[in-house]
Amino acid sequence: MVDRPGSGPRPRRYFVIAPNLFGNGVSSSPSNTPPPHTGPDFPQVTIRDNVRAQHVLVAEHFGIERLELVIGCSMGALQTYQWAVSHPGMVARALPFCGAPKTSPHNAVFLESLRATLTLDAAFQNGRYRTRPIAGLRAFSRVYAAWGFSQAFYREGAYRRLGFTGIEDFLTGFWEPNFAGHDANDLLAMLWTWQNADVSTTPGMDGDLPRALGSITADLLAMPAEKDLYFTPEDEEYTVRHVPKGRLRTIPGIWGHLSGSGANPDDAAFISTAVRDLMAGTAPEQA
C-alpha cells in the first residue's frame, strides 16, 4: 500500500504488516532451505500453516490483539479467508480480492497443467536439477499467459496498453520474464499450497465449507474480478451467502485475474475505493 491521498490504509495512520509466503523464494523455500529439506525435499505447506506463522508474528512478537483489516490478492486472498476463519475474534474486517476460501476443482486442474508442463522438462530430473529447467519455465509462462488475462483482454488487444505490439511480443516480453527468475521447486511448492487451499479443513470445521464461512465474524467484502478464470464471481457469490457479514463487489473489466495486480489504473482505483469504503463502514455491495 502506498502513502498517497485516496489510496486506502496509509502507513502514517495504520501499522501495515506484509508477510511473505512460504515457498516464494524469500521466506523459507525449497531454493533457500538447507538439507535435509532443500529442493524437492521441502515440506508441503498449507495456507493454514502460513497463517499460523503469521499469527505468531502478529500476536506473540508484536503483541497485537486486533487486526483492523486483513487484505490480500490471489494467494493473499486465500490467506485472508483463512485468517478470518482461524482467528475470528481478531479480524475486524477482511477484503479478499481475486481469491476464494477454497480452490475450486477447475482451478486445481489448471494448476495440474502447470505442474505437468514444468516437470516434463528433461532438465528437471525430479526436482534435483543441476541446471535450471529453462524450457519448462518458458512453457510454464505460456500456459499461465492464457489464464492470467481474460479472452476479452486478448481479443481487444489490451496488451498494447502495456507497450507490446503483438501476442508473441507480449508472451516473450511480459510472461516469460515474469517466471524466468523463479526456482522451479519454489513454483511447485506454491502450486501445492494454492491447490490445497480450503478453509473447511480448519480444525473443528470437519470439511464443511458453509460452516467454516459461517464462523467468520469479520465485516467481509469479497472482490472477485469480473472475468477472472481462476476465482470466478459465481464462486464468490456462493461464498458471501454463507458469511454472516459478507458482501460482494465485483471488479469490472477485461483484465481477468491480473485485475488485482495494479497494472491497470482503473482496477487499482476501484480496489482502493473499496478499501476506503470498508474501513469507513460504507461498503455496499456492487457500488
Side-chain angles (χ1 to χ4, degrees):
M1 298 176 189
V2 291
D3 189 12
R4 65 175 186 270
S7 66
R10 298 187 293 277
R12 291 177 186 172
R13 183 176 179 184
Y14 296 99
F15 181 57
V16 179
I17 304 170
N20 275 290
L21 181 79
F22 287 130
N24 72 348
V26 179
S27 292
S28 297
S29 305
S31 63
N32 61 25
T33 300
H37 300 300
T38 193
D41 299 318
F42 191 76
Q44 294 174 329
V45 182
T46 65
I47 289 293
R48 195 168 71 254
D49 292 331
N50 277 273
V51 170
R52 185 182 300 115
Q54 293 164 18
H55 182 262
V56 170
L57 170 69
V58 170
E60 297 183 17
H61 183 72
F62 292 131
I64 296 171
E65 298 179 353
R66 172 184 168 92
L67 296 172
E68 293 299 326
L69 172 67
V70 178
I71 182 172
C73 176
S74 192
M75 292 185 76
L78 303 179
Q79 294 171 76
T80 298
Y81 275 113
Q82 188 63 61
W83 260 103
V85 172
S86 292
H87 306 286
M90 192 172 181
V91 180
R93 303 173 188 83
L95 200 161
F97 59 105
C98 300
K102 178 179 180 178
T103 298
S104 71
H106 183 252
N107 196 337
V109 170
F110 156 65
L111 298 175
E112 279 300 316
S113 73
L114 289 175
R115 188 189 317 279
T117 299
L118 185 54
T119 58
L120 284 174
D121 186 337
F124 182 70
Q125 296 186 11
N126 294 317
R128 305 188 188 281
Y129 38 86
R130 295 181 180 274
T131 59
R132 298 176 70 247
I134 301 300
L137 288 166
R138 186 169 183 263
F140 183 101
S141 72
R142 289 182 172 238
V143 172
Y144 222 110
W147 288 77
F149 293 102
S150 73
Q151 296 94 334
F153 177 92
Y154 286 102
R155 183 173 61 248
E156 298 179 20
Y159 47 79
R160 297 188 183 92
R161 294 171 57 183
L162 296 173
F164 298 97
T165 58
I167 290 179
E168 183 62 23
D169 183 33
F170 185 48
L171 293 176
T172 58
F174 180 89
W175 282 105
E176 289 185 16
N178 190 59
F179 292 106
H182 282 272
D183 177 81
N185 283 319
D186 288 354
L187 289 173
L188 292 173
M190 289 188 287
L191 290 186
W192 191 93
T193 300
W194 176 353
Q195 193 171 36
N196 288 276
D198 182 358
V199 296
S200 73
T201 63
T202 304
M205 299 305 166
D206 300 323
D208 188 331
L209 183 58
R211 183 202 294 186
L213 296 173
S215 73
I216 295 174
T217 60
D219 189 3
L220 185 143
L221 180 61
M223 292 187 65
E226 180 182 357
K227 295 187 180 298
D228 193 336
L229 302 178
Y230 308 154
F231 303 107
T232 68
E234 293 83 359
D235 288 342
E236 287 295 76
E237 288 170 7
Y238 171 87
T239 294
V240 298
R241 287 201 298 269
H242 295 282
V243 177
K245 293 190 288 184
R247 286 161 291 169
L248 185 80
R249 189 183 295 190
T250 301
I251 306 167
I254 64 173
W255 284 61
H257 188 67
L258 272 291
S259 296
S261 70
N264 179 25
D266 292 341
D267 294 337
F270 189 91
I271 294 166
S272 290
T273 296
V275 174
R276 292 197 307 273
D277 289 348
L278 184 60
M279 294 302 290
T282 58
E285 290 190 278
Q286 303 296 3

